[in-house]
Amino acid sequence: MTADRVETRRRAEEVLHRLAGPHTTLRDDQWRAIEALVVDRRRVLCVQRTGWGKSAVYFIATALLRAGTTGEDPAGGAPAGPTVIVSPLLALMRNQVAAAERAGIRARTINSANLDEWDTISTEIRAGTVDVLLVSPERLNNPDFRDNVLPSLAATTGLLVIDEAHCVSDWGHDFRPDYRRIRTFLRELRAGTPVLATTATANTRVTDDVAEQLDGTAGGRADSTAASDGTAGGTLADTLVLRGPLDRQSLRLAVLDLPGAAHRLGWLADHLDALPGSGIVYTLTVAAATETAEFLRSRGYAVAAYSGQSDDAQRRAAEQDLLDNKIKALVATSALGMGFDKPDLGFVVHLGSPPSPIAYYQQVGRAGRALDGDRFADVVLLPGPEDQAIWRYFASLAFPREEQVRSVLAALDDAGRPLSTQALEPIVDLRRTRLELMLKVLDVDGAVRRVRGGWVATGQPWHYDAARLERVAQARSAEQQIMREYAVPPAEVVPGRPSCRMEFLRGCLDDPQAAPCGRCDRCAGAWLSEQVSPDALRAAEAFLGRAGVEIAPKKLWPTGLEAVGVPLRGKISPDQQASPGRAVGRLSDLGWGSRLRDLLGPGRPDTELPADVAGAVIDVLRDWARGAQPWPARPVGVVGIVSRTRPELVASTARRIAEVGRLPLLGFVEPTWAQAPPVVGRGNSAQRVRVVHDAFGTPPELAAALSGLTGPVLLVDDLVDSGWTLTLVARLLRQSGAPAVLPFALAVTS
């Protein structure tokens, strides 16, 4: 090492002491990355385990670049411009700002929560008083930011950091189209500007994809050789790839194969207290997070539910309560993701398997970051038979079919003006979140451009890469199979797969140093009991056996219905609305979900209402009549909706309700089409209304029965997805004379 490099390392150690304390030492693998950035001005991709110290690398590099470097510096030692960190979450940004201040580095953020500070921050950047600017990937394609801030920012950036870089790749488990916009930022950087990309969760395929995008070229895989510190070093064209060993010595992994949902909840109730410290209980759905938190609270635990449906203030408060150890656990969906950092997190329990071993490794990696010696964080997987149905649902939200994409491009091309996402919804049968994802991909591909007022077509040729999409889908399917193999009992280890659970996960990430850990339940034997006490099991069964969820009435028509020939807009008139309704349960529920999926799932035979579900129907109706939020008046009759797929189930349900409630069965609303239109899947509301509008009618005998009624009718259906069928049929009944309509269904999808 030359004298200049020795001096640079000494200065790097000084910054580290300010950042993390006087007794800390810069590891060789961290120095390797800093040296490449500061001295050689390279583009570097670090694939390193959680807790490796990536923030130390980019804050130290920032301090050195901002102060001016040694004689080997290609820029001649002049102070560099600010570091720009592209970071996925506001929570991570808040942590990074605090960490930077400890090192004497002034950090600012530009995000949707501080719009009123943008002008001040921009002025500070131009004045040279900001050392680090953190931005979200979504901000890179905000029209104002992209056109007015990004060009000047790219021209002055001293170091670009791409955090959680696996999000760049659609091969990764957490692909985010906005991350692809970083390629534009890279093209606009000055020559010789160093770039650092970091991730803890990337296999070789994702690593190669990210490295190629950093370099902007196509090429082969990086040649990696093991360095003396255990870090593999290689290059992919101009990108230096540093891969470190991914073992987490503070984690011990276990899988418990329990008979059912009640046993899994009962196990949590019995054993949560025995798990070390405070931690996270992950669930696959929002409903499961809510139910699990409610049950654990009923058993005396201080827990909080956390999901994407919680508002920002609730999420921040819940995060802080966990950080302060005020609660035993957060019961969370994957919304508690990148950016949450609690070094002493004692456990991670998964109530259901994630669909990817890489996603699983990332989530469990949040535990035990600050543990040393003989202390371990416990990582426990409680798989369930419903996991695969949930995986199939999320897989259905993949990139749309080519004809759907082409219809959007044609609409934008024909419009000759910007169209908002809302204006595009009636044109293509995609829900808004999926439509927005598609538009972001098209934007990155150059086929559309986001501008003030919406989206415009660029006119550039665009290719639908069906072969790549199919390969990605196959990769997802293969990952699901791997998770099934990971979860099997020790006696059923799949031939050719490692028996050690940590070695198994590290192998999925292509860690060449993967080896048996000696700690997991396969290496060291089980340390957690599978026993569930009778009391906890009874409590869980009673909790899950409760039936009944509310069906909230629609109050607004979807926007853009005029574009598809439906003359409805604005508010739904109160005299045409349905009242709040009830269903036995959600398909995603831990309790009734499994039974309802078995009854109502695709391809299931049409049958009469089974006795056990009939009992739940009566329980829900009884509670609806006498509960805390009772119906406004007792129904005076029952009306069913003729079902195309389950006519006997709906008819027998309506008959059973009428019989038990001693109510007249007034009749059935019937479809008016001569030939049924194509089934509309989980698309957007405008398309659903288009299909269902004027699709039902009231037979003369039903119309006669409705006229002159003095009380509500109970409207019976099998499954509520979007809710628009019930909404439009209720409107029809109200127009035919029903004073009020109380919707009832066997299940709602979510």
Side-chain angles (χ1 to χ4, degrees):
M1 185 184 299
T2 66
D4 286 332
R5 291 176 187 261
V6 171
E7 172 61 17
T8 301
R9 179 158 187 167
R10 185 193 65 77
R11 294 168 59 202
E13 297 276 3
E14 289 181 348
V15 179
L16 178 65
H17 294 162
R18 296 200 303 269
L19 184 67
H23 302 297
T24 53
T25 302
L26 197 64
R27 298 195 308 269
D28 287 345
D29 52 357
Q30 292 173 313
W31 162 245
R32 232 176 140 196
I34 293 168
E35 179 185 37
L37 295 168
V38 175
V39 181
D40 301 323
R41 302 298 177 95
R42 296 286 302 277
R43 294 187 175 186
V44 180
L45 171 59
C46 286
V47 184
Q48 302 283 357
R49 65 181 180 272
T50 302
W52 172 78
K54 59 187 178 183
S55 62
V57 168
Y58 51 70
F59 284 140
I60 291 170
T62 294
L64 298 180
L65 289 167
R66 293 285 285 163
T69 53
T70 67
E72 290 191 32
D73 175 17
T83 291
V84 176
I85 302 176
V86 181
S87 183
L89 292 177
L90 292 179
L92 180 60
M93 292 184 184
R94 293 190 291 268
N95 292 341
Q96 300 287 40
V97 169
E101 289 175 350
R102 292 196 297 271
I105 295 170
R106 190 179 187 206
R108 301 296 301 271
T109 69
I110 288 183
N111 57 65
S112 58
N114 68 343
L115 298 178
D116 56 338
E117 299 178 25
W118 281 26
D119 289 341
T120 300
I121 295 171
S122 297
T123 301
E124 292 172 346
I125 292 171
R126 288 190 293 270
T129 60
V130 173
D131 299 312
V132 171
L133 178 68
L134 294 105
V135 299
S136 67
E138 292 78 12
R139 192 58 41 198
L140 297 178
N141 204 32
N142 173 277
D144 286 337
F145 185 87
R146 181 196 62 212
D147 297 336
N148 301 321
V149 178
L150 189 58
S152 60
L153 185 61
T156 59
T157 294
L159 168 66
L160 174 62
V161 177
I162 306 164
D163 210 6
E164 307 295 352
H166 60 274
C167 297
V168 170
S169 174
D170 57 5
W171 292 106
H173 69 278
D174 198 15
F175 170 56
R176 300 188 182 188
D178 290 297
Y179 260 82
R180 286 286 181 94
R181 181 55 54 193
I182 293 170
R183 291 189 296 186
T184 303
F185 201 163
L186 289 168
R187 287 195 298 267
E188 295 177 356
L189 292 173
R190 293 172 300 170
T193 301
V195 177
L196 172 66
T198 65
T199 180
T201 48
N203 57 18
T204 299
R205 180 172 51 204
V206 174
T207 299
D208 290 350
D209 190 17
V210 174
E212 288 175 12
Q213 293 188 53
L214 288 180
D215 182 57
T217 66
R221 293 170 58 171
D223 291 327
S224 296
T225 55
S228 60
D229 56 12
T231 298
T235 60
L236 184 58
D238 290 334
T239 298
L240 173 65
V241 181
L242 300 174
R243 289 187 65 107
L246 298 176
D247 188 22
R248 292 290 312 283
Q249 296 182 7
S250 62
L251 302 183
R252 54 179 182 176
L253 311 179
V255 177
L256 300 182
D257 186 17
L258 300 175
H263 285 79
R264 294 194 292 278
L265 281 188
W267 186 91
L268 280 174
D270 278 343
H271 298 278
L272 192 62
D273 248 348
L275 297 177
S278 56
I280 302 170
V281 177
Y282 275 110
T283 66
L284 298 184
T285 66
V286 173
T290 303
E291 286 181 293
T292 302
E294 182 184 350
F295 174 70
L296 290 176
R297 283 193 293 266
S298 75
R299 302 298 291 176
Y301 286 103
V303 299
Y306 187 107
S307 74
Q309 293 184 10
S310 310
D311 63 40
D312 184 61
Q314 290 175 317
R315 289 197 298 268
R316 293 179 66 169
E319 288 175 13
Q320 195 60 51
D321 283 347
L322 184 60
L323 290 170
D324 295 339
N325 295 315
K326 292 180 179 178
I327 56 178
K328 180 64 178 179
L330 274 186
V331 185
T333 66
S334 59
L336 184 68
M338 297 175 295
F340 181 76
D341 185 14
K342 178 176 169 59
D344 62 342
L345 196 76
F347 63 88
V348 172
V349 177
H350 277 79
L351 198 62
S353 296
S356 158
I358 302 175
Y360 184 62
Y361 177 86
Q362 182 189 62
Q363 290 177 350
V364 303
R366 299 195 173 92
R369 297 181 184 183
L371 300 182
D372 51 22
D374 295 329
R375 294 190 302 157
F376 297 114
D378 286 342
V379 171
V380 187
L381 175 62
L382 306 175
E386 68 275 7
D387 298 349
Q388 297 181 46
I390 297 170
W391 297 348
R392 285 193 296 272
Y393 165 70
F394 286 114
S396 72
L397 305 180
F399 195 72
R401 302 187 307 274
E402 182 171 6
E403 60 267 25
Q404 294 175 307
V405 182
R406 296 291 180 191
S407 65
V408 171
L409 290 174
L412 290 173
D413 191 54
D414 293 342
R417 58 181 176 82
L419 293 180
S420 68
T421 307
Q422 287 180 324
L424 287 167
E425 274 187 292
I427 297 167
V428 60
D429 188 20
L430 295 172
R431 292 198 171 186
R432 185 167 302 177
T433 52
R434 198 170 172 211
L435 176 59
E436 288 175 342
L437 183 146
M438 181 191 78
L439 287 165
K440 289 176 179 179
V441 172
L442 293 175
D443 189 356
V444 172
D445 290 346
V448 305
R449 181 174 174 81
R450 187 180 175 193
V451 297
R452 281 181 175 271
W455 304 85
V456 295
T458 63
Q460 295 184 20
W462 180 78
H463 168 64
Y464 186 87
D465 196 346
R468 180 179 176 86
L469 292 172
E470 177 58 27
R471 290 195 299 272
V472 171
Q474 290 175 357
R476 299 282 187 272
S477 178
E479 288 175 340
Q480 294 172 8
Q481 177 57 32
I482 289 171
M483 283 307 297
R484 286 189 283 267
E485 295 173 5
Y486 174 83
V488 299
E492 301 175 21
V493 173
V494 178
R497 295 285 188 188
S499 60
C500 168
R501 297 199 191 276
M502 180 59 78
E503 183 183 12
F504 186 105
L505 293 177
R506 292 174 68 185
C508 294
L509 285 148
D510 297 321
D511 182 355
Q513 300 181 53
C517 70
R519 305 178 302 273
C520 71
D521 61 347
R522 287 179 176 172
C523 289
W527 72 92
L528 293 170
S529 169
E530 294 186 352
Q531 293 300 311
V532 179
S533 69
D535 179 58
L537 183 58
R538 282 193 299 270
E541 288 174 338
F543 178 82
L544 294 177
R546 301 178 311 170
V549 296
E550 182 175 340
I551 302 173
K554 302 284 190 183
K555 296 184 178 181
L556 291 171
W557 296 114
T559 58
L561 288 177
E562 297 92 337
V564 292
V566 178
L568 298 172
R569 61 183 300 176
K571 294 181 179 180
I572 301 175
S573 173
D575 61 0
Q576 297 181 4
Q577 288 182 18
S579 299
R582 292 291 188 277
V584 171
R586 301 180 185 88
L587 294 182
S588 57
D589 282 348
L590 292 175
W592 275 97
S594 177
R595 180 68 181 96
L596 293 170
R597 287 194 302 272
D598 183 63
L599 180 65
L600 300 170
R604 302 297 186 188
D606 182 30
T607 64
E608 287 203 359
L609 181 67
D612 60 331
V613 182
V617 168
I618 302 308
D619 288 344
V620 172
L621 292 171
R622 184 183 298 114
D623 182 67
W624 194 4
R626 304 172 184 173
Q629 295 179 309
W631 50 37
R634 190 178 192 275
V636 298
V638 178
V639 175
I641 301 177
V642 172
S643 171
R644 177 172 35 168
T645 55
R646 288 176 282 269
E648 183 54 37
L649 178 61
V650 175
S652 61
T653 302
R655 289 195 300 266
R656 180 63 173 159
I657 292 173
E659 175 188 342
V660 173
R662 298 179 182 179
L663 299 170
L665 179 57
L666 302 176
F668 291 85
V669 176
E670 298 178 349
T672 58
W673 53 65
Q675 181 176 359
V679 175
V680 178
R682 293 186 63 85
N684 62 59
S685 293
Q687 288 290 330
R688 188 66 62 92
V689 171
R690 177 187 64 80
V691 171
V692 180
H693 180 251
D694 288 339
F696 291 93
T698 53
E701 60 275 16
L702 175 58
L706 291 171
S707 63
L709 287 179
T710 58
V713 296
L714 194 70
L715 177 62
V716 178
D717 202 0
D718 52 354
L719 180 64
V720 178
D721 184 5
S722 70
W724 287 111
T725 296
L726 280 179
T727 299
L728 286 158
V729 172
R731 175 175 178 261
L732 175 65
L733 297 181
R734 296 292 304 273
Q735 291 174 327
S736 299
V741 176
L742 303 173
F744 180 84
L746 296 177
V748 295
T749 54
S750 61

